[in-house]
């Protein structure tokens, strides 16, 4: 059985840097990170999973990242309901 990913990183052409997302299932949030790993403070926005599903992402992310993130949310939600 493969493990569900809970973090993603992608190139951000607009800034010339990178952006990322981290799913914290226990806290029911997605953390959108601007320039992860940078010594400049890592700007993080927290978004409730329900808001993400209803309103869409806080950050512009590639379609494959958003698809994986939605699948991860669904997978974790399904596992919680099986308990």
């Amino acid at each position: 059985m493969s493990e569900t990913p809970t973090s993603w990183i992608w190139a951000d052409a607009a800034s010339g840097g990178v952006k990322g997302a981290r799913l914290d299932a226990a806290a029911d949030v997605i953390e959108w990170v601007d320039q992860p790993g940078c010594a400049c403070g890592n700007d993080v926005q927290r978004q409730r999973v329900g808001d993400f599903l209803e309103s869409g992402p806080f950050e512009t992310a590639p379609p494959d990242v958003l698809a994986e993130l939605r699948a991860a949310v669904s997978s974790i939600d399904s596992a919680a309901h099986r308990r």
Side-chain angles (χ1 to χ4, degrees):
M1 185 165 128
S2 64
E3 201 170 305
T4 302
T6 57
S7 60
W8 298 264
I9 191 168
W10 61 92
D12 179 44
S15 69
V18 295
K19 293 202 176 205
R22 182 174 42 239
L23 172 61
D24 183 342
D28 196 36
V29 298
I30 299 167
E31 295 178 331
W32 299 96
V33 185
D34 186 21
Q35 309 302 325
C38 175
C40 52
N42 284 355
D43 185 26
V44 176
Q45 293 184 50
R46 294 173 59 95
Q47 181 179 24
R48 307 280 314 154
V49 169
D51 181 61
F52 167 75
L53 293 172
E54 290 177 19
S55 304
F58 278 173
E59 288 287 340
T60 302
D64 60 328
V65 169
L66 292 176
E68 283 186 21
L69 182 52
R70 285 187 181 99
V73 166
S74 295
S75 172
I76 291 167
D77 188 47
S78 294
H81 285 107
R82 286 193 297 261
R83 291 183 192 159

